[in-house]
Amino acid sequence: MKTEHHSTLHQRIFDLVEAIPAGKVATYGQIGAIVGGCSGRIVGFALASLRYTEDRQVPWQRVINRQGKISLTGPDAALQRALLEDEGVRFSAEGVIDLAKFGWKP
């Protein structure tokens, strides 16, 4: 569903993130490479824009950084971690997700 708030590129990013199954994660760079024509940073900006609209239920929590960590801070980081743990994703004592085990391979 396209809205005035999001570009076509954002829509493609959202469509791909919606394909990540529960219990799996992808990196910002991975999403950018699959979508094409954008960087991991652009993926992050697109996902951050979701807080300004309620027209889609994109599982933003399933996108993490290339080190297997949550990039957000404060309450947003705690929420992302809780959502991922509810889906069965496990973190090491250092807060790292094992991408070999939990990484999404489309």
Side-chain angles (χ1 to χ4, degrees), residues 10 31 44 46 49 80 88 97:
H10 282 194
I31 298 300
S49 75
Q80 185 174 13
I97 296 169

Side-chain angles (χ1 to χ4, degrees), residues 21-52:
K24 294 293 181 181
V25 296
T27 66
Y28 294 101
Q30 177 185 2
I31 298 300
I34 294 169
V35 167
C38 72
S39 66
R41 182 168 289 188
I42 292 172
V43 173
F45 290 144
L47 294 176
S49 75
L50 288 169
R51 72 184 73 194
Y52 302 111

Side-chain angles (χ1 to χ4, degrees), residues 23-25 27 64 66-68 96-105:
K24 294 293 181 181
V25 296
T27 66
I64 60 172
R66 67 180 176 206
Q67 297 170 333
V96 178
I97 296 169
D98 181 349
L99 291 174
K101 182 173 184 178
F102 295 105
W104 178 54
K105 295 172 182 62

Side-chain angles (χ1 to χ4, degrees), residues 3 5-6 49-56:
T3 68
H5 303 290
H6 296 110
S49 75
L50 288 169
R51 72 184 73 194
Y52 302 111
T53 183
E54 296 179 10
D55 64 339
R56 292 183 83 152

Side-chain angles (χ1 to χ4, degrees), residues 85-96:
E85 287 178 334
D86 286 349
E87 294 180 359
V89 175
R90 297 293 165 244
F91 292 78
S92 72
E94 296 78 28
V96 178

